[in-house]
């Protein structure tokens, strides 16, 4: 795994969590839109209730999301520790903003009050140092 792929795991896991949260939101909408039987309607018995199935899915999805969030927190801590090995405060800030906080190089350049080209060059240097300090290819 390259340094860029390793650092990119945060965004991939964050995207996965966000996708699951959107799915959970849709499940919750389904659960709240279920109607109760009205008088005169025949209630079927013998099968699982649709609302209970949705509630089970909601609970399972919440557990999945919680586990993914735990993984994300641990991964960010591990990556933050590895980024700290770079020892250049500007490069540490750049790598942290890019790979932990999800900012683009354009946003980082604006935040640091530097040109995009400068930040892009720093990014390349920072990745080289990161690779070297963490024994990566």
């Amino acid at each position: 795994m390259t340094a860029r792929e390793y650092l990119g795991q945060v965004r991939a896991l964050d995207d996965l969590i966000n996708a699951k949260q959107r799915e959970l939101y849709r499940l919750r909408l389904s659960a709240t839109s279920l109607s109760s039987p009205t008088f005169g309607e025949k209630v079927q018995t013998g099968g699982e209730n649709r609302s209970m199935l949705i509630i089970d899915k909601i609970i399972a999805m919440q557990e999945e999301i919680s586990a993914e969030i735990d993984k994300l927190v641990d991964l960010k801590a591990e990556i933050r520790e590895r980024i700290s090995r770079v020892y250049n405060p500007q490069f540490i800030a750049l790598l942290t903003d890019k790979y932990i906080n999800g900012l683009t190089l354009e946003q980082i350049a604006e935040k640091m009050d530097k040109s995009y080209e400068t930040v892009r060059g720093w990014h390349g240097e920072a990745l080289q140092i990161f690779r070297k300090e963490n024994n990566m290819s």
Side-chain angles (χ1 to χ4, degrees):
M1 174 179 305
T2 68
R4 204 178 284 232
E5 290 169 339
Y6 172 75
L7 293 167
Q9 292 179 101
V10 169
R11 175 164 275 155
L13 189 51
D14 198 35
D15 289 346
L16 175 64
I17 291 167
N18 288 333
K20 287 182 178 186
Q21 287 175 328
R22 288 188 298 273
E23 184 179 350
L24 178 60
Y25 175 77
R26 285 191 296 281
L27 281 171
R28 286 180 175 152
L29 282 178
S30 294
T32 59
S33 67
L34 293 174
S35 61
S36 300
T38 58
F39 292 111
E41 285 185 17
K42 197 172 192 177
V43 178
Q44 292 183 344
T45 59
E48 286 237 7
N49 183 327
R50 182 172 187 266
S51 61
M52 287 306 294
L53 289 174
I54 291 175
I55 290 169
D56 289 344
K57 286 180 183 180
I58 289 171
I59 291 168
M61 183 63 61
Q62 287 172 329
E63 290 170 354
E64 281 181 42
I65 291 169
S66 182
E68 297 292 346
I69 289 171
D70 288 345
K71 277 192 230 177
L72 181 62
V73 168
D74 292 344
L75 180 61
K76 282 184 174 186
E78 176 185 315
I79 289 175
R80 198 173 286 112
E81 188 276 323
R82 287 181 165 217
I83 287 173
S84 72
R85 297 176 190 171
V86 172
Y87 297 113
N88 178 319
Q90 287 177 315
F91 291 176
I92 291 171
L94 189 156
L95 292 175
T96 300
D97 277 341
K98 173 107 176 99
Y99 296 104
I100 302 285
N101 299 329
L103 299 181
T104 65
L105 291 180
E106 292 86 358
Q107 292 168 321
I108 296 167
E110 186 176 321
K111 182 179 172 189
M112 292 180 145
D113 197 27
K114 300 292 180 191
S115 72
Y116 169 78
E117 291 76 20
T118 298
V119 170
R120 195 177 85 201
W122 285 356
H123 178 249
E125 289 179 58
L127 281 177
Q128 286 178 355
I129 295 168
F130 181 87
R131 276 187 215 101
K132 181 182 172 208
E133 294 299 324
N134 290 286
N135 301 316
M136 300 180 107
S137 57

